[in-house]
Amino acid sequence: PMPYFSVAQGLQGLEGGLRTGLPEFTVFIVNPPVMYGMIHGDEHVNQRFARNSYSEWLPTPMPSKFEQGNTYDIYRMYRYMMAPYTPEDSSKNDAILWKRYIDPAQDPRKVIEDEPEEQIIEVDFL
């Protein structure tokens, strides 16, 4: 579901993540058909755990049953339909990273003048 990537691709992802200014990010490549197949099932606890782990960056299908074991899947499905990717309670200190880095008062599309032009990174192997 997540194939290997080259050093150049990893460095490109690292640079892109550092440019966002977020204190945490990940770099990976995903094979979507395999990944969707991997998170499709929800019959076993391990399948539901994997599905809920990946749900932050991969849309999941609706639960197969509306029973007690699938309670969190049902909650996540309705929450995404009503208010996708928003803090649960803005009066509390929810979504600290969102408030600090993603929803700043400045225009996020503003280009930094001293940012260097993109360059091709060539890596030679011995």
Side-chain angles (χ1 to χ4, degrees):
M2 296 183 177
Y4 297 113
F5 52 84
S6 68
V7 174
Q9 290 172 320
L11 290 174
Q12 182 181 8
L14 175 66
E15 288 177 355
L18 291 173
R19 282 189 191 134
T20 64
L22 289 170
E24 55 186 48
F25 60 90
T26 57
V27 177
F28 51 86
I29 295 177
V30 176
N31 184 350
V34 176
M35 187 59 89
Y36 282 124
M38 193 173 99
I39 65 163
H40 186 70
D42 65 349
E43 297 296 321
H44 193 267
V45 175
N46 292 342
Q47 290 174 318
R48 288 193 294 269
F49 177 78
R51 172 189 273 217
N52 291 328
S53 297
Y54 295 126
S55 69
E56 294 300 318
W57 55 269
L58 184 70
T60 57
M62 67 180 265
S64 61
K65 296 180 265 186
F66 286 78
E67 295 178 353
Q68 184 177 3
N70 298 56
T71 304
Y72 189 72
D73 294 336
I74 297 165
Y75 162 74
R76 191 174 22 80
M77 177 187 72
Y78 281 118
R79 177 164 159 64
Y80 180 74
M81 289 186 330
M82 301 302 174
Y85 304 115
T86 57
E88 291 195 26
D89 187 0
S90 54
S91 65
K92 296 180 181 175
N93 271 339
D94 286 349
I96 295 171
L97 292 178
W98 177 276
K99 290 177 184 174
R100 172 66 176 92
Y101 296 100
I102 299 172
D103 193 22
Q106 59 193 0
D107 185 9
R109 291 171 285 180
K110 182 180 173 186
V111 178
I112 301 171
E113 279 74 17
D114 60 355
E115 186 173 322
E117 293 289 324
E118 287 201 25
Q119 301 174 10
I120 297 176
I121 301 171
E122 294 185 18
V123 179
D124 292 331
F125 293 99
L126 299 176

